[in-house]
């Protein structure tokens, strides 16, 4: 018996108690005279008095809150609250006695619904409207489990910045019915991992899958213990990525650090789910449609489906995302593609009107999602999840790209069991994400400020011999300022340059600051070094060692070496395998 019917002798679907109020456009908690009282506390008197009349007020200046199971004054049935009769749609509300009538208020915009999705194993919706909705969110708040990010993240996503969320599906055996999955006695691995990057303007997103058998270096991981103390878990070199979680006491924060070490991208937040998540969430949404290009009968994952289209949920959905021996080449990379197809279908299902306009599905998803997730400590409340959901909800599925870190078979193995980075392709994929470049063609309206930045590279360029610049190391590898100085003077003819040592503070990006009368010099140096327009910073000149005005070149953490262009790519290469969430793909 669920919480909604506990102690009443019957199950009551909480979604059936929420209805759309046509006059406000919001979902409200409504209880019929014959229905058992909801265990969710009713709003306090002044806000709830006269459910059919939002402006009605209680005579008591500070009424006590109504409690489930107790009758209101004037109830027809003891122990039950009876809402006032509903007005006909479009009928004008009658003013309370002793008060002059008011003009009908303008109809508010349609209620906002919040869509929050995570990885191929996690997705849920949060409904938050009206006072009753607030109380329900407090109930959902208690469902959330969080653990410390141990300083491995950025401190949480920001609404005005690009967002990077690390989504982790673990194979830990938790919950009933999962005895046949995962490794017996294991604390769980990072079995399915996706780095979700959402662009700053929310026009596109990239979901980057990280193979569990990718050979990586796991850094030392400072980790908060149950008693509040800190313990540094030693790192390892040349091990499987999936051991970054669960093994040797590693928590999701260690997986975060491993991803940062691997990609150069620091996640803002993480979300973790186990086997139960995919079962409960797919059932809550009413099943997910999938397409099979052939019959599949995999005794290892327990998936047995004929060729064609199917709507799957619960155990069958879990079997689908875990199968690998019967698809593609039978390895983990084939399973990753299957999971990406599943997540694409799930996204389409969640964005469909059938889900967004169904209070029943919305609440079931909210219940299942908050119970299925473990999040980091900076994302540990419904309000924070709601804010994240609002940002993710702006995405169009046609601009959500799924791809996998480019890898090759491990050349050190005779029997191929693991993979290593494809050094010719993987760095470019990481650069695209770091520089917020879409993997799909997105039509954007060029804003005035973007046009102004691009204009910095346009115009005359001074001769290299007239470029006067001071070079600072602001986070680049040691010796970068000196090697760049030598390269500029010997190879590029920038003789009026000098090494000014370390910058006062570290910088993520390489920048060139210059005065207005040095713009032609800045354009020449940008051309030589491959600096983007955004790296040029109009400002002031500084005095060099000879007492003459000079520009300031600060080499940031993105600096890759003298002569290596710092202009980010503007589109994904054609040979990177990818798919978008709006496309239906049949598993083969």
């Amino acid at each position: 018996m669920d919480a909604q019917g506990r102690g009443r002798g019957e199950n009551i679907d909480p979604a059936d108690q929420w209805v759309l109020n046509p006059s406000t456009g919001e979902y409200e908690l409504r209880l019929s005279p014959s229905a058992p009282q909801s265990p969710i506390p009713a709003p306090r008197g002044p806000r709830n008095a006269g459910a059919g009349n939002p402006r009605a007020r209680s005579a008591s200046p500070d009424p006590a809150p109504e409690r489930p199971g107790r009758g209101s004054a004037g109830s027809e049935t003891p122990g039950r609250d009876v809402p006032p009769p509903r007005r006909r749609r479009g009928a004008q509300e009658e003013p309370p006695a002793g008060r002059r009538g008011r003009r009908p208020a303008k109809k508010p915009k349609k209620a906002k619904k919040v869509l929050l999705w995570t990885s191929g194993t996690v997705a849920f919706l949060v409904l938050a409207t009206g006072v009753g909705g607030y109380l329900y969110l407090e109930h959902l708040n208690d469902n959330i489990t969080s653990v410390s990010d141990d300083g491995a993240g950025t401190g949480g996503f920001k609404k005005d910045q690009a967002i990077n969320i690390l989504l982790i599906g673990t194979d830990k055996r938790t919950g009933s019915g999962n005895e046949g999955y995962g490794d017996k006695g294991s604390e769980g691995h990072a079995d399915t991992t996706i780095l979700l990057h959402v662009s700053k303007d929310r026009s596109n997103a990239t979901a980057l899958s990280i193979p569990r058998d990718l050979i990586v270096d796991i850094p030392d991981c400072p980790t908060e213990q149950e008693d509040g103390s800190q313990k540094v878990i030693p790192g390892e070199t040349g091990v499987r990525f999936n051991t970054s979680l669960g093994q040797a006491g590693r928590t999701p924060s260690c997986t975060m650090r491993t991803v940062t070490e691997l990609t150069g991208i620091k996640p803002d937040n993480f979300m973790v789910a186990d086997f139960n998540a995919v079962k409960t969430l797919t059932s809550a949404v009413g099943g997910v449609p999938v397409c099979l290009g052939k019959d599949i009968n995999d005794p290892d994952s327990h998936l047995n489906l004929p060729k064609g289209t199917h709507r799957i949920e619960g155990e069958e959905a879990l079997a689908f995302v875990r199968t690998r021996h019967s698809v593609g080449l039978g390895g983990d990379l084939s399973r990753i593609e299957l999971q990406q197809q599943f997540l694409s279908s799930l996204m389409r299902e969640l964005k469909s009107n059938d889900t967004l306009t169904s209070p029943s599905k919305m609440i079931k998803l909210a219940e299942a999602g908050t119970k299925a997730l473990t999040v980091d400590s900076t994302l540990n409340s419904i309000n924070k999840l709601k804010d994240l959901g609002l940002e993710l909800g702006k995405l169009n599925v046609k601009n959500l790209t799924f791809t996998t870190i480019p890898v090759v078979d491990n050349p050190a193995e005779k029997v191929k069991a693991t993979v290593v980075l494809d050094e010719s392709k993987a760095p470019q994929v990481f650069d695209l994400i770091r520089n917020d470049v879409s993997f799909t063609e997105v039509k954007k309206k060029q804003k005035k400020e973007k046009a102004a930045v691009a204009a910095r590279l346009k115009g005359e360029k001074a001769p290299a011999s007239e470029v006067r610049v001071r070079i600072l190391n602001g986070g680049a590898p040691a010796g970068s300022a000196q090697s760049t100085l030598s390269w500029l003077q010997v190879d590029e003819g920038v003789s009026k340059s000098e090494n000014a040592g370390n910058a006062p503070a570290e910088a993520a990006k390489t920048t060139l600051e210059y005065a207005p009368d040095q713009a032609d010099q800045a354009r020449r140096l940008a051309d030589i070094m491959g600096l983007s327009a955004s790296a040029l910073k109009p400002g002031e000149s500084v005095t060099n060692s000879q007492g003459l005005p000079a520009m300031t070149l600060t080499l940031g953490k993105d600096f890759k070496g003298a002569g290596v262009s710092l202009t980010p790519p503007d589109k994904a290469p054609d040979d990177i395998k990818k798919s978008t969430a709006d496309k239906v793909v049949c598993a083969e």
Side-chain angles (χ1 to χ4, degrees), residues 40-41 131-143 382-383:
I40 302 172
V131 177
Y134 167 78
L135 293 170
Y136 186 60
L137 290 186
E138 289 300 301
H139 158 71
L140 294 177
N141 223 39
D142 294 336
N143 289 346
I382 281 296
N383 282 334

Side-chain angles (χ1 to χ4, degrees), residues 202-226:
R202 309 297 185 252
S203 67
N204 64 90
T206 303
L208 180 67
S209 292
I210 304 175
R212 67 176 190 179
D213 296 325
L214 175 64
I215 297 300
V216 298
D217 294 337
I218 298 177
D220 291 345
C221 299
T223 306
E224 182 178 309
Q225 304 300 297
E226 290 185 2

Side-chain angles (χ1 to χ4, degrees), residues 337-577:
E337 291 183 15
L338 193 72
Q339 291 171 344
Q340 291 173 348
Q341 295 167 20
F342 178 84
L343 180 54
S344 295
S345 181
L346 179 58
M347 279 301 302
R348 293 192 298 271
E349 192 70 18
L350 290 173
K351 296 282 279 187
S352 71
N353 287 334
D354 287 346
T355 297
L356 293 177
T357 59
S358 170
S360 175
K361 287 184 179 180
M362 296 282 278
I363 291 179
K364 287 178 180 177
L365 282 165
E367 288 282 351
T370 51
K371 290 178 180 177
L373 287 174
T374 296
V375 300
D376 69 87
S377 50
T378 68
L379 197 63
N380 62 352
S381 75
I382 281 296
N383 282 334
K384 293 177 182 178
L385 290 172
K386 174 177 69 78
D387 289 342
L388 177 58
L390 286 170
E391 297 305 309
L392 301 181
K394 298 173 183 177
L395 292 172
N396 188 321
V397 293
K398 71 178 182 179
N399 293 324
L400 168 58
T401 303
F402 291 92
T403 189
T404 304
I405 291 180
V407 296
V408 295
D409 287 333
N410 190 346
E413 296 176 336
K414 292 183 178 180
V415 178
K416 304 304 179 184
T418 62
V419 293
V420 296
L421 286 182
D422 183 339
E423 295 294 350
S424 66
K425 296 179 180 179
Q428 190 171 7
V429 170
F430 301 152
D431 277 348
L432 287 166
I433 296 175
R434 277 197 301 265
N435 289 285
D436 203 22
V437 178
S438 175
F439 279 63
T440 59
E441 292 185 8
V442 181
K443 294 181 179 180
K444 302 179 182 179
K445 294 181 179 179
Q446 190 174 37
K447 299 179 180 179
K448 291 183 179 180
E449 57 266 28
K450 290 186 177 181
V453 170
R456 295 171 189 169
L457 293 176
K458 298 178 180 178
E460 294 185 1
K461 300 180 180 69
S465 59
E466 295 182 8
V467 174
R468 189 177 287 110
V469 62
R470 298 170 70 248
I471 306 169
L472 298 173
N473 190 329
S480 293
Q482 184 59 41
S483 63
T484 300
L485 174 66
S486 300
W487 171 70
L488 287 175
Q489 290 181 340
V490 175
D491 297 344
E492 302 297 332
V494 184
S495 56
K496 298 177 181 178
S497 52
E498 63 182 39
N499 181 354
N502 292 328
E506 288 192 348
K509 302 284 186 180
T510 297
T511 59
L512 176 63
E513 183 177 0
Y514 58 96
D517 61 350
Q518 297 171 320
D520 58 342
Q521 296 182 46
R523 285 190 285 268
R524 173 57 66 190
L525 189 60
D527 184 58
I528 292 172
M529 295 192 63
L531 298 178
S532 64
S534 61
L536 273 59
K537 305 295 182 184
E540 299 178 353
S541 62
V542 294
T543 302
N544 66 8
S545 59
Q546 298 176 344
L548 299 173
M551 301 183 295
T552 300
L553 174 66
T554 303
L555 305 178
K557 294 180 179 179
D558 64 336
F559 184 74
K560 302 173 183 176
V564 180
S565 176
L566 287 172
T567 301
D570 57 1
K571 67 175 184 177
D574 295 332
D575 58 350
I576 296 295
K577 192 170 184 179

Side-chain angles (χ1 to χ4, degrees), residues 13 29 93 101 124 161 307 387 409 443 575 577 583:
D13 187 343
L29 184 64
E93 180 179 334
F124 71 91
Q161 298 294 326
K307 176 181 178 181
D387 289 342
D409 287 333
K443 294 181 179 180
D575 58 350
K577 192 170 184 179
K583 299 291 191 289

